[in-house]
mmCIF file of all heavy atoms in Angstrom:
data_model
loop_
_atom_site.group_PDB
_atom_site.id
_atom_site.type_symbol
_atom_site.label_atom_id
_atom_site.label_comp_id
_atom_site.label_asym_id
_atom_site.label_seq_id
_atom_site.Cartn_x
_atom_site.Cartn_y
_atom_site.Cartn_z
ATOM 1 N N LYS A 216 -12.843 15.597 11.048
ATOM 2 C CA LYS A 216 -12.669 14.464 11.972
ATOM 3 C C LYS A 216 -13.578 13.393 11.753
ATOM 4 O O LYS A 216 -13.194 12.215 11.754
ATOM 5 C CB LYS A 216 -12.852 15.098 13.426
ATOM 6 C CG LYS A 216 -12.432 13.926 14.465
ATOM 7 C CD LYS A 216 -12.607 14.434 15.877
ATOM 8 C CE LYS A 216 -12.110 13.376 16.883
ATOM 9 N NZ LYS A 216 -12.788 12.073 16.659
ATOM 10 N N ALA A 217 -14.853 13.681 11.481
ATOM 11 C CA ALA A 217 -15.798 12.630 11.178
ATOM 12 C C ALA A 217 -15.472 11.866 9.946
ATOM 13 O O ALA A 217 -15.545 10.613 9.880
ATOM 14 C CB ALA A 217 -17.186 13.190 11.055
ATOM 15 N N LEU A 218 -14.986 12.541 8.940
ATOM 16 C CA LEU A 218 -14.576 11.933 7.644
ATOM 17 C C LEU A 218 -13.332 10.980 7.920
ATOM 18 O O LEU A 218 -13.298 9.850 7.451
ATOM 19 C CB LEU A 218 -14.261 12.881 6.638
ATOM 20 C CG LEU A 218 -13.767 12.374 5.291
ATOM 21 C CD1 LEU A 218 -14.818 11.447 4.638
ATOM 22 C CD2 LEU A 218 -13.465 13.525 4.289
ATOM 23 N N ALA A 219 -12.374 11.505 8.709
ATOM 24 C CA ALA A 219 -11.237 10.768 9.003
ATOM 25 C C ALA A 219 -11.513 9.466 9.792
ATOM 26 O O ALA A 219 -11.005 8.416 9.529
ATOM 27 C CB ALA A 219 -10.198 11.604 9.791
ATOM 28 N N ASP A 220 -12.503 9.625 10.732
ATOM 29 C CA ASP A 220 -12.944 8.461 11.524
ATOM 30 C C ASP A 220 -13.580 7.393 10.644
ATOM 31 O O ASP A 220 -13.428 6.212 10.768
ATOM 32 C CB ASP A 220 -13.850 8.884 12.653
ATOM 33 C CG ASP A 220 -13.183 9.654 13.754
ATOM 34 O OD1 ASP A 220 -11.924 9.571 13.851
ATOM 35 O OD2 ASP A 220 -13.838 10.330 14.493
ATOM 36 N N LEU A 221 -14.362 7.927 9.701
ATOM 37 C CA LEU A 221 -15.148 7.014 8.783
ATOM 38 C C LEU A 221 -14.113 6.210 7.950
ATOM 39 O O LEU A 221 -14.221 4.964 7.857
ATOM 40 C CB LEU A 221 -16.114 7.801 7.912
ATOM 41 C CG LEU A 221 -16.745 7.037 6.780
ATOM 42 C CD1 LEU A 221 -17.719 5.944 7.302
ATOM 43 C CD2 LEU A 221 -17.484 7.965 5.815
ATOM 44 N N VAL A 222 -13.248 6.915 7.303
ATOM 45 C CA VAL A 222 -12.219 6.300 6.456
ATOM 46 C C VAL A 222 -11.390 5.325 7.228
ATOM 47 O O VAL A 222 -11.059 4.131 6.749
ATOM 48 C CB VAL A 222 -11.348 7.312 5.709
ATOM 49 C CG1 VAL A 222 -10.230 6.643 4.933
ATOM 50 C CG2 VAL A 222 -12.225 8.149 4.760
ATOM 51 N N GLN A 223 -10.951 5.724 8.402
ATOM 52 C CA GLN A 223 -10.059 4.841 9.214
ATOM 53 C C GLN A 223 -10.801 3.603 9.694
ATOM 54 O O GLN A 223 -10.209 2.494 9.652
ATOM 55 C CB GLN A 223 -9.532 5.671 10.435
ATOM 56 C CG GLN A 223 -8.601 4.827 11.342
ATOM 57 C CD GLN A 223 -7.915 5.729 12.390
ATOM 58 O OE1 GLN A 223 -7.067 6.540 12.033
ATOM 59 N NE2 GLN A 223 -8.325 5.517 13.602
ATOM 60 N N THR A 224 -12.058 3.763 10.178
ATOM 61 C CA THR A 224 -12.801 2.587 10.514
ATOM 62 C C THR A 224 -13.016 1.632 9.423
ATOM 63 O O THR A 224 -12.858 0.397 9.560
ATOM 64 C CB THR A 224 -14.175 3.022 11.114
ATOM 65 O OG1 THR A 224 -13.981 3.893 12.207
ATOM 66 C CG2 THR A 224 -15.026 1.859 11.517
ATOM 67 N N PHE A 225 -13.343 2.187 8.209
ATOM 68 C CA PHE A 225 -13.493 1.298 7.031
ATOM 69 C C PHE A 225 -12.278 0.606 6.664
ATOM 70 O O PHE A 225 -12.302 -0.679 6.499
ATOM 71 C CB PHE A 225 -13.965 2.163 5.840
ATOM 72 C CG PHE A 225 -14.096 1.450 4.561
ATOM 73 C CD1 PHE A 225 -15.103 0.563 4.356
ATOM 74 C CD2 PHE A 225 -13.122 1.632 3.522
ATOM 75 C CE1 PHE A 225 -15.285 -0.092 3.139
ATOM 76 C CE2 PHE A 225 -13.230 0.929 2.397
ATOM 77 C CZ PHE A 225 -14.308 0.091 2.136
ATOM 78 N N GLU A 226 -11.150 1.287 6.615
ATOM 79 C CA GLU A 226 -9.917 0.641 6.188
ATOM 80 C C GLU A 226 -9.399 -0.361 7.238
ATOM 81 O O GLU A 226 -9.022 -1.455 6.930
ATOM 82 C CB GLU A 226 -8.823 1.707 5.932
ATOM 83 C CG GLU A 226 -7.571 1.104 5.460
ATOM 84 C CD GLU A 226 -6.529 2.052 4.828
ATOM 85 O OE1 GLU A 226 -7.007 3.242 4.473
ATOM 86 O OE2 GLU A 226 -5.352 1.798 4.832
ATOM 87 N N TYR A 227 -9.359 0.054 8.528
ATOM 88 C CA TYR A 227 -8.836 -0.799 9.574
ATOM 89 C C TYR A 227 -9.692 -2.108 9.732
ATOM 90 O O TYR A 227 -9.142 -3.152 9.852
ATOM 91 C CB TYR A 227 -8.782 -0.102 10.937
ATOM 92 C CG TYR A 227 -7.601 0.926 11.028
ATOM 93 C CD1 TYR A 227 -6.877 1.315 9.895
ATOM 94 C CD2 TYR A 227 -7.386 1.493 12.270
ATOM 95 C CE1 TYR A 227 -5.857 2.237 10.053
ATOM 96 C CE2 TYR A 227 -6.316 2.448 12.359
ATOM 97 C CZ TYR A 227 -5.596 2.802 11.239
ATOM 98 O OH TYR A 227 -4.583 3.718 11.399
ATOM 99 N N THR A 228 -11.013 -1.876 9.727
ATOM 100 C CA THR A 228 -11.887 -3.025 9.846
ATOM 101 C C THR A 228 -11.676 -4.037 8.639
ATOM 102 O O THR A 228 -11.589 -5.219 8.817
ATOM 103 C CB THR A 228 -13.338 -2.627 9.921
ATOM 104 O OG1 THR A 228 -13.507 -1.714 11.047
ATOM 105 C CG2 THR A 228 -14.287 -3.816 10.098
#
Side-chain angles (χ1 to χ4, degrees):
K216 186 179 185 306
L218 178 59
D220 288 345
L221 173 66
V222 172
Q223 181 170 290
T224 299
F225 174 73
E226 183 169 337
Y227 284 11
T228 303

